[in-house]
Amino acid sequence: MILCCGEALIDMLPRQSESGEAVFAPYPGGAVFNTSVALGRLGVPVGLLTGLSRDLFGQRLERSLQASHVAYDLAIRSDRPTTLAFVTLKDGQAQYAFYDENTAGRMLAPQDMPGRLEGVSALCFGGISLAVEPCAEAYAALCLREAGTRPVMLDPNIRPGFIKDEARYRERLNGMLAVADIVKLSDEDLVWLEGDGDLPDLAAKVLARGPKLLCLTEGASGVTGYTGSGSVFVEAQKAQVVDTVGAGDTFNAGFLASLHGGGVLTKAALADLSDDALRDALTLGARAAAITVARAGANPPWAAELQ
């Protein structure tokens, strides 16, 4: 199975009460959680390694994982609270305020990581869990430990406002980039990481760090897959955008689902991936993301919706 490693939290999404008051409604979320749910709904064997609270929000997260066929037996449970992310929307784009101090997801240490990963064929890391300590160090250590034997996908989903120690964060990302097989970045992520410049040139700098493949998403402008031998571009799918919550996370799931279904989610196959296989994966990722942005919150599609 694919093991997604990172945060599971509650998105507090803006709503309006019957009396017209502005309120927030709780929805299961988190970048890595969303990717695991999307993979499960697409019929891919998937598990989630995260810190789960025993509180009412943690129980809600568990129910959501069960409903989407995501295994969570590797989750580390505690009585600490669940991370909350209050979401505001500006022109459909999500902006976040995180409440994450001393939470079940954040307070993971390297020694909490499982010693053996039975049945795991690939790993996916990312999200805010790579920006805050001690959990960031725990996930980075697991990534470095397992990358030699299993393919790794990395989507840092960079949120500059959430980063307290930029130098340490960059150092951590650099170490993970060096061992990752697949990296997904938005155009904003790429500029933050590499500085200003033409996107293809910046993409080449990322590939020079070690990854075999870079997926560069540009919202409505589409997505490009860069490899050491060239690039493949896929247009974004047309959609009536409600909000962008979970769009990138769903893209990751569609991309991985295609590779898994094609039997090319291995270190050897990724090192020599054909343009056709790359195009298929980018296309499924884009199609899945288009469904997610067309409905409120992170609500990834089921496989039947993509037939």
Side-chain angles (χ1 to χ4, degrees):
M1 71 175 180
I2 298 173
L3 183 64
C4 297
C5 309
E7 76 274 6
L9 51 78
I10 294 294
D11 283 326
M12 303 296 287
L13 299 181
R15 296 290 183 265
Q16 192 174 65
S17 70
E18 291 183 0
S19 60
E21 295 178 298
V23 297
F24 286 93
Y27 286 82
V32 179
F33 174 92
N34 293 339
T35 295
S36 73
V37 165
L39 280 166
R41 292 184 180 187
L42 293 176
V44 178
V46 61
L48 178 66
L49 171 58
T50 190
L52 273 182
S53 174
R54 297 188 182 93
D55 66 12
L56 76 164
F57 289 132
Q59 294 169 26
R60 184 163 186 167
L61 290 167
E62 288 190 24
R63 290 195 296 271
S64 294
L65 292 169
Q66 292 170 358
S68 295
H69 314 300
V70 181
Y72 56 95
D73 50 298
L74 292 177
I76 297 97
R77 292 173 173 79
S78 75
D79 292 325
R80 297 186 178 95
T82 298
T83 298
L84 303 180
F86 284 79
V87 182
T88 54
L89 300 174
K90 184 176 182 180
D91 299 325
Q93 299 292 316
Q95 299 176 327
Y96 298 83
F98 293 96
Y99 291 79
D100 191 44
E101 292 294 331
N102 298 310
T103 59
R106 180 169 181 173
M107 301 307 292
L108 298 181
Q111 58 266 30
D112 294 320
M113 295 294 100
R116 299 182 66 183
L117 298 180
E118 297 285 352
V120 173
S121 56
L123 298 104
C124 180
F125 295 88
I128 65 166
S129 51
L130 301 183
V132 293
E133 297 179 14
C135 68
E137 293 298 329
Y139 290 122
L142 181 65
C143 174
L144 297 179
R145 190 189 85 192
E146 297 294 330
T149 56
R150 297 174 173 89
V152 166
M153 182 174 186
L154 173 64
D155 176 11
N157 198 10
I158 300 167
R159 303 190 185 284
F162 197 66
I163 300 167
K164 302 302 183 184
D165 188 338
E166 182 176 325
R168 191 173 181 88
Y169 177 65
R170 286 184 179 273
E171 180 182 7
R172 183 181 304 116
L173 275 191
N174 289 341
M176 298 179 75
L177 286 166
V179 301
D181 299 278
I182 306 167
V183 174
K184 198 293 285 294
L185 298 170
S186 69
D187 49 351
E188 292 179 345
D189 291 339
L190 181 59
V191 170
W192 187 91
L193 193 63
E194 297 291 352
D196 293 329
D198 293 333
L199 294 181
D201 294 337
L202 300 181
K205 289 184 178 181
V206 174
L207 290 177
R209 294 170 179 254
K212 301 179 181 71
L213 170 62
L214 169 64
C215 299
L216 180 63
T217 59
E218 299 179 70
S221 297
V223 56
T224 305
Y226 292 93
T227 67
S229 59
S231 63
V232 173
F233 172 75
V234 169
E235 292 184 353
Q237 301 285 311
K238 292 183 179 180
Q240 188 69 39
V241 177
V242 175
D243 66 52
T244 60
V245 179
D249 314 325
T250 304
F251 169 86
N252 293 343
F255 187 83
L256 288 171
S258 179
L259 296 177
H260 177 270
V264 291
L265 190 54
T266 67
K267 295 185 79 69
L270 291 171
D272 191 29
L273 194 66
S274 71
D275 285 353
D276 287 342
L278 177 53
R279 184 176 293 104
D280 288 346
L282 294 171
T283 300
L284 185 57
R287 290 178 61 207
I291 293 176
T292 297
V293 301
R295 47 202 192 192
N299 185 7
W302 294 84
E305 297 178 80
L306 292 165
Q307 300 299 322

